[in-house]
Short mmCIF file of all heavy atoms in Angstrom, two decimals:
data_model
loop_
_atom_site.label_atom_id
_atom_site.label_comp_id
_atom_site.label_asym_id
_atom_site.label_seq_id
_atom_site.Cartn_x
_atom_site.Cartn_y
_atom_site.Cartn_z
N LYS H 722 6.45 -1.69 -33.44
CA LYS H 722 5.31 -0.93 -32.95
C LYS H 722 4.00 -1.51 -33.47
O LYS H 722 4.00 -2.38 -34.32
CB LYS H 722 5.42 0.52 -33.43
CG LYS H 722 6.52 1.32 -32.77
CD LYS H 722 6.46 2.77 -33.26
CE LYS H 722 7.48 3.64 -32.57
NZ LYS H 722 7.39 5.04 -33.03
N GLY H 723 2.92 -0.96 -32.95
CA GLY H 723 1.60 -1.31 -33.47
C GLY H 723 1.05 -2.61 -32.93
O GLY H 723 1.71 -3.30 -32.14
N PRO H 724 -0.16 -2.95 -33.35
CA PRO H 724 -0.80 -4.19 -32.91
C PRO H 724 0.10 -5.39 -33.22
O PRO H 724 0.74 -5.42 -34.28
CB PRO H 724 -2.09 -4.24 -33.75
CG PRO H 724 -2.36 -2.81 -34.10
CD PRO H 724 -1.03 -2.17 -34.25
N ASN H 725 0.10 -6.34 -32.30
CA ASN H 725 1.00 -7.50 -32.40
C ASN H 725 2.47 -7.10 -32.31
O ASN H 725 3.34 -7.91 -32.57
CB ASN H 725 0.78 -8.30 -33.69
CG ASN H 725 -0.65 -8.76 -33.80
OD1 ASN H 725 -1.25 -9.20 -32.83
ND2 ASN H 725 -1.22 -8.64 -35.00
N GLY H 726 2.70 -5.85 -31.95
CA GLY H 726 4.08 -5.41 -31.76
C GLY H 726 4.59 -5.81 -30.39
O GLY H 726 3.91 -6.51 -29.64
N GLY H 727 5.78 -5.35 -30.09
CA GLY H 727 6.40 -5.69 -28.81
C GLY H 727 7.89 -5.88 -28.98
O GLY H 727 8.46 -5.55 -30.02
N PHE H 728 8.50 -6.48 -27.98
CA PHE H 728 9.94 -6.72 -28.03
C PHE H 728 10.19 -8.19 -28.33
O PHE H 728 9.41 -9.05 -27.96
CB PHE H 728 10.58 -6.31 -26.70
CG PHE H 728 10.46 -4.84 -26.42
CD1 PHE H 728 9.39 -4.34 -25.70
CD2 PHE H 728 11.41 -3.95 -26.90
CE1 PHE H 728 9.27 -2.97 -25.44
CE2 PHE H 728 11.30 -2.59 -26.66
CZ PHE H 728 10.22 -2.10 -25.93
N TYR H 729 11.29 -8.45 -28.99
CA TYR H 729 11.64 -9.82 -29.31
C TYR H 729 13.13 -9.93 -29.62
O TYR H 729 13.82 -8.92 -29.68
CB TYR H 729 10.82 -10.32 -30.51
CG TYR H 729 11.04 -9.55 -31.78
CD1 TYR H 729 11.84 -10.06 -32.81
CD2 TYR H 729 10.46 -8.29 -31.97
CE1 TYR H 729 12.04 -9.35 -33.97
CE2 TYR H 729 10.67 -7.57 -33.13
CZ TYR H 729 11.46 -8.10 -34.13
OH TYR H 729 11.68 -7.39 -35.28
N VAL H 730 13.59 -11.16 -29.78
CA VAL H 730 15.00 -11.38 -30.14
C VAL H 730 15.06 -12.40 -31.27
O VAL H 730 14.18 -13.24 -31.41
CB VAL H 730 15.82 -11.92 -28.95
CG1 VAL H 730 15.86 -10.91 -27.82
CG2 VAL H 730 15.26 -13.25 -28.46
N ASP H 731 16.11 -12.32 -32.06
CA ASP H 731 16.30 -13.34 -33.10
C ASP H 731 17.44 -14.27 -32.70
O ASP H 731 18.07 -14.11 -31.65
CB ASP H 731 16.55 -12.68 -34.46
CG ASP H 731 17.82 -11.85 -34.47
OD1 ASP H 731 18.69 -12.05 -33.58
OD2 ASP H 731 17.96 -11.00 -35.36
N GLU H 732 17.71 -15.21 -33.55
CA GLU H 732 18.73 -16.23 -33.30
C GLU H 732 20.09 -15.59 -32.99
O GLU H 732 20.80 -16.01 -32.07
CB GLU H 732 18.84 -17.13 -34.54
CG GLU H 732 19.66 -18.39 -34.33
CD GLU H 732 19.08 -19.32 -33.28
OE1 GLU H 732 17.85 -19.29 -33.05
OE2 GLU H 732 19.88 -20.06 -32.64
N ALA H 733 20.45 -14.55 -33.74
CA ALA H 733 21.76 -13.92 -33.55
C ALA H 733 21.88 -13.35 -32.14
O ALA H 733 22.92 -13.49 -31.48
CB ALA H 733 21.96 -12.81 -34.58
N ILE H 734 20.81 -12.75 -31.66
CA ILE H 734 20.84 -12.15 -30.33
C ILE H 734 20.94 -13.23 -29.26
O ILE H 734 21.65 -13.06 -28.26
CB ILE H 734 19.60 -11.26 -30.12
CG1 ILE H 734 19.72 -10.01 -31.00
CG2 ILE H 734 19.45 -10.87 -28.65
CD1 ILE H 734 18.54 -9.07 -30.94
N LEU H 735 20.26 -14.34 -29.47
CA LEU H 735 20.34 -15.44 -28.50
C LEU H 735 21.77 -15.90 -28.30
O LEU H 735 22.13 -16.39 -27.22
CB LEU H 735 19.48 -16.62 -28.96
CG LEU H 735 17.97 -16.43 -28.88
CD1 LEU H 735 17.25 -17.62 -29.48
CD2 LEU H 735 17.53 -16.22 -27.44
N ASN H 736 22.58 -15.73 -29.32
CA ASN H 736 23.98 -16.17 -29.23
C ASN H 736 24.94 -15.05 -28.80
O ASN H 736 26.13 -15.28 -28.69
CB ASN H 736 24.42 -16.75 -30.56
CG ASN H 736 23.80 -18.11 -30.79
OD1 ASN H 736 23.84 -18.98 -29.93
ND2 ASN H 736 23.17 -18.29 -31.95
N MET H 737 24.39 -13.88 -28.57
CA MET H 737 25.25 -12.79 -28.09
C MET H 737 25.59 -13.01 -26.62
O MET H 737 24.81 -13.56 -25.86
CB MET H 737 24.56 -11.44 -28.27
CG MET H 737 24.63 -10.89 -29.68
SD MET H 737 23.62 -9.40 -29.95
CE MET H 737 23.93 -8.51 -28.47
N PRO H 738 26.78 -12.55 -26.19
CA PRO H 738 27.18 -12.73 -24.79
C PRO H 738 26.48 -11.73 -23.87
O PRO H 738 26.06 -10.65 -24.33
CB PRO H 738 28.67 -12.47 -24.82
CG PRO H 738 28.86 -11.54 -25.97
CD PRO H 738 27.83 -11.93 -27.00
N LEU H 739 26.39 -12.06 -22.60
CA LEU H 739 25.81 -11.15 -21.61
C LEU H 739 26.53 -9.81 -21.58
O LEU H 739 25.95 -8.79 -21.25
CB LEU H 739 25.90 -11.75 -20.21
CG LEU H 739 25.18 -13.06 -19.94
CD1 LEU H 739 25.00 -13.25 -18.45
CD2 LEU H 739 23.83 -13.08 -20.63
N SER H 740 27.81 -9.83 -21.94
CA SER H 740 28.58 -8.57 -21.90
C SER H 740 27.97 -7.51 -22.80
O SER H 740 28.13 -6.32 -22.55
CB SER H 740 30.03 -8.84 -22.29
OG SER H 740 30.09 -9.46 -23.57
N SER H 741 27.25 -7.93 -23.85
CA SER H 741 26.59 -6.94 -24.72
C SER H 741 25.58 -6.12 -23.93
O SER H 741 25.46 -4.91 -24.14
CB SER H 741 25.84 -7.63 -25.85
OG SER H 741 26.68 -8.52 -26.53
N ILE H 742 24.85 -6.77 -23.05
CA ILE H 742 23.87 -6.05 -22.23
C ILE H 742 24.58 -5.11 -21.27
O ILE H 742 24.26 -3.92 -21.18
CB ILE H 742 22.99 -7.03 -21.42
CG1 ILE H 742 22.41 -8.13 -22.32
CG2 ILE H 742 21.88 -6.28 -20.70
CD1 ILE H 742 21.67 -9.23 -21.53
N VAL H 743 25.54 -5.66 -20.56
CA VAL H 743 26.23 -4.89 -19.52
C VAL H 743 26.95 -3.68 -20.14
O VAL H 743 26.86 -2.57 -19.63
CB VAL H 743 27.24 -5.77 -18.77
CG1 VAL H 743 28.05 -4.95 -17.79
CG2 VAL H 743 26.51 -6.89 -18.04
N GLU H 744 27.63 -3.91 -21.26
CA GLU H 744 28.35 -2.80 -21.88
C GLU H 744 27.40 -1.74 -22.40
O GLU H 744 27.69 -0.54 -22.32
CB GLU H 744 29.25 -3.32 -23.01
CG GLU H 744 30.52 -3.95 -22.48
CD GLU H 744 31.40 -4.53 -23.58
OE1 GLU H 744 30.92 -5.40 -24.35
OE2 GLU H 744 32.55 -4.11 -23.68
N ALA H 745 26.25 -2.16 -22.91
CA ALA H 745 25.28 -1.20 -23.43
C ALA H 745 24.77 -0.29 -22.31
O ALA H 745 24.51 0.89 -22.53
CB ALA H 745 24.10 -1.92 -24.09
N VAL H 746 24.66 -0.83 -21.11
CA VAL H 746 24.05 -0.06 -20.01
C VAL H 746 25.11 0.59 -19.11
O VAL H 746 25.04 1.78 -18.82
CB VAL H 746 23.16 -0.98 -19.15
CG1 VAL H 746 22.59 -0.21 -17.97
CG2 VAL H 746 22.04 -1.56 -19.99
N ASP H 747 26.08 -0.18 -18.66
CA ASP H 747 27.05 0.32 -17.68
C ASP H 747 28.41 0.67 -18.29
O ASP H 747 29.29 1.14 -17.59
CB ASP H 747 27.29 -0.74 -16.59
CG ASP H 747 26.19 -0.76 -15.54
OD1 ASP H 747 25.33 0.14 -15.57
OD2 ASP H 747 26.18 -1.66 -14.68
N GLY H 748 28.56 0.45 -19.59
CA GLY H 748 29.87 0.68 -20.19
C GLY H 748 30.84 -0.42 -19.82
O GLY H 748 30.45 -1.47 -19.32
N ASN H 749 32.11 -0.20 -20.05
CA ASN H 749 33.09 -1.26 -19.80
C ASN H 749 33.92 -1.02 -18.55
O ASN H 749 34.97 -1.62 -18.36
CB ASN H 749 33.98 -1.45 -21.03
CG ASN H 749 34.83 -0.23 -21.31
OD1 ASN H 749 34.57 0.83 -20.76
ND2 ASN H 749 35.83 -0.38 -22.13
N ASP H 750 33.42 -0.16 -17.67
CA ASP H 750 34.12 0.13 -16.43
C ASP H 750 34.39 -1.13 -15.62
O ASP H 750 35.45 -1.27 -15.00
CB ASP H 750 33.28 1.08 -15.57
CG ASP H 750 34.01 2.39 -15.34
OD1 ASP H 750 34.57 2.91 -16.32
OD2 ASP H 750 34.01 2.85 -14.19
N ILE H 751 33.44 -2.02 -15.63
CA ILE H 751 33.57 -3.22 -14.81
C ILE H 751 34.73 -4.10 -15.29
O ILE H 751 35.31 -4.86 -14.52
CB ILE H 751 32.25 -4.02 -14.80
CG1 ILE H 751 32.27 -5.01 -13.63
CG2 ILE H 751 32.01 -4.72 -16.12
CD1 ILE H 751 30.94 -5.61 -13.34
N PHE H 752 35.08 -3.96 -16.56
CA PHE H 752 36.18 -4.77 -17.10
C PHE H 752 37.54 -4.13 -16.89
O PHE H 752 38.55 -4.81 -16.81
CB PHE H 752 35.99 -5.00 -18.60
CG PHE H 752 34.71 -5.69 -18.93
CD1 PHE H 752 33.91 -5.23 -19.96
CD2 PHE H 752 34.29 -6.78 -18.20
CE1 PHE H 752 32.72 -5.87 -20.27
CE2 PHE H 752 33.10 -7.42 -18.49
CZ PHE H 752 32.30 -6.96 -19.53
N ILE H 753 37.56 -2.79 -16.84
CA ILE H 753 38.85 -2.12 -16.82
C ILE H 753 39.10 -1.24 -15.60
O ILE H 753 40.21 -0.83 -15.34
CB ILE H 753 39.02 -1.24 -18.08
CG1 ILE H 753 37.91 -0.19 -18.15
CG2 ILE H 753 39.00 -2.10 -19.34
CD1 ILE H 753 38.20 0.90 -19.16
N GLY H 754 38.01 -0.94 -14.83
CA GLY H 754 38.14 0.00 -13.73
C GLY H 754 39.03 -0.50 -12.60
O GLY H 754 39.13 -1.69 -12.35
N CYS H 755 39.66 0.45 -11.90
CA CYS H 755 40.51 0.14 -10.75
C CYS H 755 39.64 -0.10 -9.53
O CYS H 755 38.63 0.56 -9.33
CB CYS H 755 41.46 1.31 -10.50
SG CYS H 755 42.27 1.28 -8.88
#
Side-chain angles (χ1 to χ4, degrees):
Chain H
K722 290 184 176 181
N725 303 318
F728 296 92
Y729 61 103
V730 297
D731 63 18
E732 191 62 26
I734 290 177
L735 288 175
N736 287 311
M737 280 172 41
L739 299 198
S740 56
S741 308
I742 310 173
V743 175
E744 282 177 303
V746 177
D747 280 352
N749 65 346
D750 242 44
I751 197 167
F752 301 134
I753 59 166
C755 165

